[in-house]
Amino acid sequence: MMPAAEDSTMCNEELLASSMAQTLRVPHAVARFLVSRGVRTLTEAHRMLCGNAGDVHDPFLMKGMKEAVEWLLAVRERGEKVFVFGDYDLDGMTAVTLMTRALAELGIESDWRLPNRFGDGYGLSVSSVEEMHNAGARNVITVDTGITANAEIALAKKLSMSVLVIDHHQPSGEGLPECDVLLDPHQAGDTYPNPELCGVGVSYKFICALYSRLGMPEPKKFLDLVALGTLADLVQMTPENRCFTKAGLKSIEGSCWPGLQEMYGNLMKRHGSVGGIDVMYKFAPLLNAPGRMERPDPALKLLLSPNMAAANALMAELKEWNSKRKQKEAEITDMALEQVKAKYGDKLPTVLVVAGNNWHVGVIGIVAAKLAQEYHRPTAVLSVTDGMAHASARAVPGFNWHKALFESRDLFDRWGGHANAAGFSLPSDKIDELRKRLEQSARMQNYTGAVEELPVGAYPYDIRISLNELVVEAEQYMSPDGTTCPGGKRLISILDFFDLLEPFSGNFPYPTFRADNIKVHRLRELRGGHLQMDISQAGSRVFPAIAFGLRKSKALLHGDKPVSVIFEPTWNYFNDRKSMQLCVKAIEPCD
């Protein structure tokens, strides 16, 4: 029997969902999903669906913003050039793109630099400062980097360079850099309401403040760049981040930047709006590929393309880099998985640390993400070369990499990042000590890897749902795009409402549902261990479904015995037709 308190909670949640569905005129399943994600008021639910202009804050609330605007206006008054230095990931590249284009609109000459992760490492380096100085740099703006570059910025000042730091990472704990002006909502004394902006987000706030001071309208045409960087950097979807990203995703289809026009045409095949998953699995990997394999410059040049001809040529180059990245990533993932099995067997540590000789530094971050997902553990993957280990780390909910690395910063030559993703380097003879310290940090954070306590095969999901709830008659609901069925009734897919709830990312992942007593039709095994099928439930319509990599579950699908499926409803585009396809994440025997 269900405990009374739990029964009461479920009853209250059902009442809330019913009220939400009726008042906002959304399907009951959409309301139940929102309640399952912690939405507790009609106001919050309406904000999630429709947005709220009040979520965007005055940029001058950020500490240092007035001084930063005055700094750049003084540079423009003197007719001087600005060097923009960004990081090599997508957040850094979109921040450099935004800053470069905005400076050009304001009549300020600029040049840009990105680090090479193989020669320069993460962020601003001494060699980068010296190179920019030798190239004539007197004014430097760092974007998505700089908050921990104390020594490097001290050198820049010694060389008579004026420096504006625009960053979003946590300070190192060793004091702030002695730059001319600092914008970082994580610095002490900053009360900006949204400290979870990414690098391009802080850069956008700076440009908004600058345009406002000059009497120019808010430059919303840059929001497509903000959306890409925000999603790729896995920052929290705060109300302001959600507002920027929602608007930015909608504008990618009609972007005024040739590079994004070319990417949209290639990756989306001119099919509708871009979602968070599209950015994570299509746009971001492609743009990050050159930097992972050699240098990030081709990706930034694509974002800065002056015309479609240049964008087309650079798009072809990025596709080649991405193919090479996929091959190398697969090789190292296999080696890392084998190492975990050989070293730990079934007794996994709380934090996984995997190291290999001369593993390609450009893909170890992706490998870390795959291992973190596979084992439900925060994971660091290290590449050891000449006695030094260079690492990339990815988190899971409940573990903060920045906090963990800060506590062990005496071990590192360099380190940086945030809660969800980080990078560091240390002598290889300190790896075992690092393992011990990370276990201690996990205990201090009260992180236990509790997901392992779930029953075997219990894949997480948001709510149970009937397949009949996936397509509803439109008349009683608010009006996203609908279609008309042959009988004349207008139908709405639940996906039309999920499109309104975009972006899905970070702390607001894509919806996952469970449906029981499912009947499987027309099962086919595809190359690569994927299963293609049609499924139905108790007289519902038949839905096409695809189960990637679930060949091991095929045995459950023989005969007429029903199963439970956990799935994500997604749009599928084929022959210029848009339809729903269920992406099956797990197949389980019925209870």
Side-chain angles (χ1 to χ4, degrees):
M1 180 179 292
M2 184 179 295
E6 185 176 344
D7 188 31
S8 175
T9 298
M10 291 185 65
C11 181
N12 290 336
E13 289 186 349
E14 178 60 28
L15 288 173
L16 175 60
S18 296
S19 174
M20 193 179 292
Q22 183 176 5
T23 305
L24 299 179
R25 300 180 63 238
V26 298
H28 193 255
V30 174
R32 285 193 294 124
F33 165 73
L34 288 172
V35 171
S36 77
R37 289 290 179 89
V39 177
R40 288 293 178 268
T41 68
L42 294 175
T43 299
E44 186 180 1
H46 185 269
R47 172 184 284 172
M48 298 287 289
L49 288 160
C50 304
N52 186 341
D55 292 334
V56 178
H57 308 296
D58 181 350
F60 286 100
L61 294 175
M62 191 177 295
K63 184 178 181 180
M65 187 62 78
K66 178 175 178 291
E67 293 79 5
V69 169
E70 291 173 349
W71 181 91
L72 189 60
L73 291 178
V75 170
R76 186 172 78 154
E77 183 67 23
R78 296 193 299 268
E80 295 177 352
K81 184 177 181 178
V82 172
F83 277 66
V84 181
F85 185 94
D87 200 14
Y88 47 63
D89 65 5
L90 186 50
D91 187 17
M93 288 190 290
T94 50
V96 172
T97 303
L98 185 154
M99 193 65 61
T100 300
R101 291 194 180 279
L103 293 177
E105 284 194 354
L106 297 174
I108 301 173
E109 184 182 0
S110 68
D111 201 348
W112 55 262
R113 295 289 189 276
L114 297 176
N116 180 335
R117 75 173 76 212
F118 306 103
D120 305 318
Y122 172 84
L124 191 65
S125 63
V126 167
S127 60
S128 297
V129 171
E130 292 174 339
E131 188 277 328
M132 287 190 289
H133 178 261
N134 292 336
R138 295 298 175 264
N139 304 290
V140 175
I141 300 177
T142 71
V143 290
D144 190 37
T145 187
I147 189 68
T148 63
N150 295 19
E152 293 80 4
I153 290 174
L155 173 61
K157 296 302 298 177
K158 184 178 179 180
L159 295 173
S160 301
M161 298 162 72
S162 184
V163 182
L164 164 60
V165 170
I166 300 178
D167 203 352
H168 73 114
H169 294 98
Q170 295 277 354
S172 67
E174 306 296 333
L176 297 175
E178 295 182 358
C179 50
D180 293 81
V181 188
L182 172 63
L183 290 180
D184 189 323
H186 287 294
Q187 66 175 305
D190 197 327
T191 58
Y192 187 73
N194 177 25
E196 300 304 323
L197 289 163
C198 65
V200 69
V202 181
S203 300
Y204 180 70
K205 299 303 295 190
F206 170 62
I207 295 302
C208 286
L210 187 63
Y211 278 41
S212 174
R213 177 64 61 83
L214 295 172
M216 300 168 64
E218 181 181 347
K220 293 183 178 180
K221 63 186 175 185
F222 294 126
L223 284 175
D224 45 15
L225 298 170
V226 177
L228 292 178
T230 301
L231 288 163
D233 218 48
L234 300 175
V235 295
Q236 297 294 300
M237 274 298 153
T238 59
E240 185 173 48
N241 287 347
R242 172 171 290 280
C243 185
F244 286 159
T245 307
K246 183 187 288 283
L249 288 175
K250 289 180 180 178
S251 67
I252 289 177
E253 180 180 359
S255 176
C256 57
W257 317 122
L260 287 186
Q261 292 176 34
E262 180 69 21
M263 291 195 75
Y264 178 83
N266 273 265
L267 301 179
M268 300 300 294
K269 307 301 181 185
R270 304 296 174 189
H271 287 305
S273 59
V274 180
I277 288 180
D278 297 312
V279 172
M280 296 304 297
Y281 293 102
K282 296 177 182 178
F283 287 76
L286 189 69
L287 286 164
N288 280 326
R292 292 191 181 283
M293 300 306 297
E294 190 173 281
R295 292 194 63 86
D297 297 30
L300 181 56
K301 289 177 180 177
L302 173 64
L303 293 173
L304 288 169
S305 296
N307 52 58
M308 294 303 295
N312 181 267
L314 286 161
M315 185 70 186
E317 182 178 349
L318 260 63
K319 287 181 178 179
E320 292 180 10
W321 283 119
N322 203 31
S323 295
K324 295 176 182 177
R325 187 269 304 171
K326 288 180 180 178
Q327 180 179 354
K328 184 60 64 176
E329 173 196 322
E331 293 172 2
I332 295 176
T333 298
D334 288 343
M335 289 189 283
L337 289 170
E338 286 300 318
Q339 186 180 133
V340 171
K341 293 175 184 176
K343 186 174 181 65
Y344 301 115
D346 295 330
K347 297 182 179 179
L348 293 177
T350 310
V351 182
L352 281 179
V353 177
V354 182
N357 290 324
N358 298 308
W359 282 355
H360 197 292
V361 175
V363 300
I364 58 176
I366 305 174
V367 176
K370 289 192 170 186
L371 265 63
Q373 182 178 29
E374 175 74 18
Y375 294 108
H376 307 290
R377 293 288 192 278
T379 302
V381 176
L382 287 66
S383 175
V384 180
T385 305
D386 297 330
M388 287 297 297
H390 302 278
S392 191
R394 296 295 184 270
V396 296
F399 186 85
N400 185 318
W401 266 111
H402 186 274
K403 180 176 176 60
L405 297 184
F406 178 80
E407 293 164 350
S408 295
R409 62 192 183 279
D410 59 296
L411 297 178
F412 307 127
D413 284 23
R414 301 187 74 184
W415 71 280
H418 46 77
N420 294 322
F424 57 90
S425 61
L426 78 169
S428 57
D429 59 7
K430 295 182 179 179
I431 293 176
D432 286 338
E433 174 64 20
L434 174 65
R435 287 190 171 102
K436 296 177 185 176
R437 301 245 196 127
L438 290 175
E439 293 297 307
Q440 293 171 2
S441 180
R443 288 193 292 272
M444 292 294 291
Q445 295 186 40
N446 294 317
Y447 175 77
T448 62
V451 71
E452 69 182 2
E453 297 169 9
L454 290 170
V456 174
Y459 194 97
Y461 60 91
D462 292 299
I463 57 172
R464 291 179 187 254
I465 194 171
S466 163
L467 295 188
N468 279 321
E469 296 181 271
L470 296 177
V471 178
V472 296
E473 293 182 14
E475 283 70 20
Q476 58 185 308
Y477 302 117
M478 62 186 290
S479 183
D481 291 340
T483 57
T484 302
C485 68
K489 293 180 179 179
R490 290 185 60 248
L491 299 178
I492 302 179
S493 163
I494 199 171
L495 288 175
D496 290 306
F497 294 92
F498 289 152
D499 286 347
L500 296 178
L501 290 172
E502 286 280 5
F504 294 106
S505 174
N507 61 325
F508 193 66
Y510 197 81
T512 306
F513 299 141
R514 178 183 177 116
D516 299 318
N517 295 309
I518 294 299
K519 184 176 181 180
V520 176
H521 316 266
R522 297 176 55 197
L523 175 66
R524 291 179 57 210
E525 182 175 338
L526 305 180
R527 190 173 176 181
H530 314 310
L531 303 178
Q532 186 181 61
M533 67 195 89
D534 292 337
I535 67 174
S536 66
Q537 178 194 49
S540 75
R541 67 171 58 197
V542 175
F543 291 89
I546 183 78
F548 292 107
L550 288 187
R551 177 172 52 191
K552 61 185 179 182
S553 299
K554 187 176 180 181
L556 295 172
L557 304 177
H558 289 300
D560 295 328
K561 192 171 183 179
V563 294
S564 295
V565 296
I566 298 167
F567 65 93
E568 296 174 348
T570 61
W571 288 122
N572 182 50
Y573 298 95
F574 183 72
N575 287 340
D576 292 326
R577 291 187 60 193
K578 176 181 175 182
S579 61
M580 182 187 292
Q581 177 177 263
L582 310 186
C583 183
V584 176
K585 314 301 287 187
I587 303 169
E588 300 174 1
C590 282
D591 296 337

